[in-house]
Structure formats: C-alpha cells, structure tokens
Amino acid sequence: MEDNNRNLNEILESIDEIRHLSELIEYRSKDMKGATADEILNKVIHPTLDDLELYLRYYGKPGIPERELKDLVHAWIEAQMIV
C-alpha cells in the first residue's frame, strides 16, 4: 500500500471508497434480517475488512498512486458484490 502507517479506514477515506464499502456490507448482510449487531459485526463486517486488507497487502504495492489504489479497491468491491 502507499503508506504503511495508514490504517484501512484512513486509506478508504483518502480514496473516497467508504460509501462503496458500506454498500458491500449492506449487500452481504441483506439476508441477515433480525441479526444482532454483534452477529453482523462478526459475520460480515470483520471478515469483509479482513479480506480487503489481505487483498491490499498483496496487490497494493508500496508507492502505488492514490488513483491506482482507488481503482484497485473499487474493482475488488464490485467483484465481491457479484460473488
């Protein structure tokens, strides 16, 4: 990733993909009507963030420009909504 000192939230804010990630989380939790916040957190949110972080560690090479990082994250989110 461009800056190893930034956390995932900071990266998502800087590339303006937080709303898009929220859409993915909503998509993944659509069949969880009646689930508790803890269930959604542990079964949807944490696994999604873990997957994205792992993906970025592998594909987000040091020094990657912000635009490429945005494209990388955007494409990953879109692909996750198809699965």
Side-chain angles (χ1 to χ4, degrees):
M1 288 185 290
E2 181 182 1
D3 183 350
N4 289 333
N5 295 321
R6 294 191 300 172
N7 64 37
L8 187 56
N9 187 59
E10 291 169 334
I11 292 168
L12 291 169
E13 283 181 359
S14 75
I15 62 173
D16 196 30
E17 283 292 323
I18 286 184
R19 186 176 320 180
H20 196 202
L21 182 64
S22 294
E23 292 171 6
L24 173 59
I25 289 169
E26 286 179 33
Y27 174 80
R28 286 186 166 183
S29 61
K30 71 180 184 266
D31 295 331
M32 295 184 72
K33 301 264 190 244
T36 67
D38 281 342
E39 289 172 326
I40 292 172
L41 190 65
N42 292 318
K43 293 180 180 178
V44 178
I45 296 172
H46 285 291
T48 300
L49 296 177
D50 289 346
D51 289 348
L52 177 55
E53 188 170 352
L54 183 63
Y55 180 81
L56 288 176
R57 285 184 191 276
Y58 187 78
Y59 290 104
K61 305 298 182 201
I64 186 172
E66 288 276 314
R67 184 66 214 171
E68 288 180 35
L69 187 57
K70 179 178 179 57
D71 291 344
L72 190 65
V73 170
H74 187 86
W76 182 84
I77 292 171
E78 287 296 312
Q80 297 304 304
M81 287 200 249
I82 295 170
V83 175

